[in-house]
Amino acid sequence: MFRHGLPVLLFCFISLCATSAFAEWFSDEQAIMGTSVGVTLWQEDPEIARRAISAVMAEMRRIDNSFSPYKPDSELSRVNREAINSPVTISGELMTIIDKALYFSRASGGAFDISFASVGRHYDYRQGQQPSENQREDLLAAIDYRLIELDKTSSTVSFKHPQLQIDLGGIAKGYAVDRGIAILQQFDVTNATVSAGGDSRVLGDRRGRPWVIGIKNPRGQSLAGDPSESEDRVAIKLPLQDTAISTSGDYERFFIDQNSGERIHHILNPRTGKSVAGVTSVSILGPRGFDTDPLSTAVFVLGIERGLALVASLSGFDAIVIDSAGKVHYSDGLTPPVTEVDQSP
Ligand code: ADP
Ligand code: MG
């Protein structure tokens, strides 16, 4: 009896150490998909934590390699080259993403439209370039999600306009954070966050406290050297658990047109092919990034009234919209903590 007691006691001691002393937060951040991808998780075994994080990062790179419009070998680039001529066979995964995009196009009356790229690909925000008026008007007819024909039985897609091009920039990052969370769940992780730029999803809580996700003040001051993460840019802090949140902002990718003084940014109105004015930031809360990501872009295009009406018509979502005067608008499900953000330079 006694001889067996020691190993049992020892075992208890070791497992106690493992759960209380060694368990900790692990996190990593990498530049993927043209943005910063972050993973934070709670784990007892550092080796499992390392494997889980690297599996999420590998998945992010795989998604980027498949659906980037900038990589000539991606499945998306192949579709953009070939779907104009005849139906192209696509993967089940791309089919699911295009199908979801078309759902949000119909739901938003065309405000969300992945064929925005027919015009959108002629913008280069880093170089400060935009399409000429003629080019924009010529290509406008190629922005129309109804000209994207998805055939689920034959697994093909075809474009019904010779200049039509698609870009998944408004939906792929939300899809990617969901994939990241699913992978962490396979590793039995129960407390984590995965983010890709403005799209985040939190799993569980922060062990007894909620996760706190900040919404940036679109016109807030940023510290030199670190324009993205300085504390004074955070306008609203949200305590969250088991939620996805996607923010679309006009401050992420933009330049100021030297002639007109207008802010030319990366969210385009499919009806005009021009950057949307009126709101500066839209955040959508909901169960999955695959929905909150396209919805945040759609609401940005629709503006406050029609955008909030769309959110109210779908169940399970909430919205926080900051307009160009700095006023904060909330969907009915939320209690407003902050009603205005400082716009002073
Ligand atoms: P972020 O890319 O910063 O997360 P969004 O989720 O709002 O922000 O996505 C903006 C991206 O969506 C743009 O960079 C572009 O790739 C794409 N996009 C722009 N306008 C539209 C639109 N009207 N419909 C669908 N996608 C769009
Ligand atoms: Mg979005």
Side-chain angles (χ1 to χ4, degrees), residues 250-264:
D250 68 358
Y251 50 86
E252 291 292 350
R253 272 178 226 150
F254 75 97
F255 63 91
I256 304 294
D257 185 331
Q258 296 304 324
N259 299 318
S260 66
E262 275 174 71
R263 177 182 286 253
I264 311 295

Side-chain angles (χ1 to χ4, degrees), residues 170 248 293-294 296-297:
S248 295
D293 188 9
S296 72
T297 311

Side-chain angles (χ1 to χ4, degrees), residues 54-129:
S54 91
V56 173
M57 294 299 183
E59 177 69 353
M60 298 297 184
R61 268 184 237 101
R62 186 193 65 79
I63 290 172
D64 191 29
N65 288 334
S66 301
F67 306 128
S68 167
Y70 306 109
K71 296 181 194 271
D73 294 336
S74 71
E75 183 178 12
L76 186 89
S77 293
R78 185 172 61 84
V79 166
N80 274 335
R81 280 193 301 271
E82 297 173 7
I84 311 158
N85 304 317
S86 54
V88 178
T89 304
I90 56 172
S91 63
E93 188 177 30
L94 182 54
M95 177 114 83
T96 306
I97 299 174
I98 296 177
D99 194 37
K100 177 71 88 172
L102 295 177
Y103 165 80
F104 277 105
S105 294
R106 289 188 295 270
S108 66
F112 185 83
D113 191 331
I114 53 174
S115 69
F116 82 92
S118 309
V119 173
R121 70 198 183 100
H122 296 286
Y123 285 86
D124 185 330
Y125 302 99
R126 275 202 205 133
Q127 305 286 333
Q129 282 166 3

Side-chain angles (χ1 to χ4, degrees), residues 119 135-144 269-273:
V119 173
Q135 203 175 18
R136 188 179 55 78
E137 276 165 21
D138 279 354
L139 292 173
L140 211 48
I143 305 184
D144 188 342
N269 184 338
R271 285 185 206 283
T272 62

